[in-house]
Structures are given as C-alpha cells and as structure tokens.
Amino acid sequence: MNLQFVSNESGKITAIQIPIQEWREIERKLKSIEAQEWQGVSAEEIAAIEAGIRDVEEGRVVPNEEVLLISRELRKKRA
C-alpha cells in the first residue's frame, strides 16, 4: 500500500493519504463487516437504535443521573 503522510508545521503526523482504489476496497470490507454485525437484529431493534441516535444528535437526551433521581422519587412516592 502506497501511503503518504501529512504533517503539521511541528512535524506531527496529522493525516494519511491512501490511493482511492485501496480506500474503496477498505470501505467495501467495512460494509461487509457491518452487515454481518447487524444479522439477527430485528427491524424494530434497528428502528429503536436509529431513533436513539437521532435523539442524541438533536439533544433530546436525559443524563443517567437524572433518570436515577426520577426513579428514586417515584419509588419514594410508591412506598
């Protein structure tokens, strides 16, 4: 593989360039691996995961600590 290294002004490597044909082969292999990882996962599970990712991306999330506090409060009310 013919790699080209890109460095900043202080000599630190910041990127690597590879030929496009080799990159496309890497992408093809990654897609195959990803497809294998999703085998056996139901459409409903995939939809739930995708919805969760959208919620995170759009800032609609609640920190775990807040969920735990809410849960504790609910338990106290039931007791």
Side-chain angles (χ1 to χ4, degrees):
M1 185 178 297
N2 183 20
L3 301 177
Q4 294 178 333
F5 297 87
V6 179
S7 58
N8 62 16
E9 56 279 349
S10 58
K12 181 179 178 184
I13 295 175
T14 58
I16 298 175
Q17 293 179 332
I18 64 171
I20 191 68
Q21 284 305 110
E22 292 180 32
W23 172 248
R24 288 184 177 137
E25 179 64 17
I26 291 169
E27 280 185 312
R28 184 191 66 73
K29 289 178 181 177
L30 286 172
K31 287 178 184 176
S32 174
I33 291 169
E34 288 175 358
Q36 291 173 12
E37 289 176 349
W38 287 102
Q39 285 181 346
V41 178
S42 71
E44 292 82 13
E45 290 171 308
I46 292 172
I49 291 167
E50 290 172 342
I53 291 170
R54 279 192 305 276
D55 285 345
V56 169
E57 291 172 344
E58 295 171 9
R60 293 188 311 258
V61 295
V62 178
N64 288 340
E65 295 80 17
E66 188 174 333
V67 172
L68 289 172
L69 289 174
I70 293 168
S71 175
R72 287 182 188 127
E73 290 300 317
L74 289 172
R75 286 184 195 158
K76 287 178 185 176
K77 288 180 183 179
R78 280 191 252 151

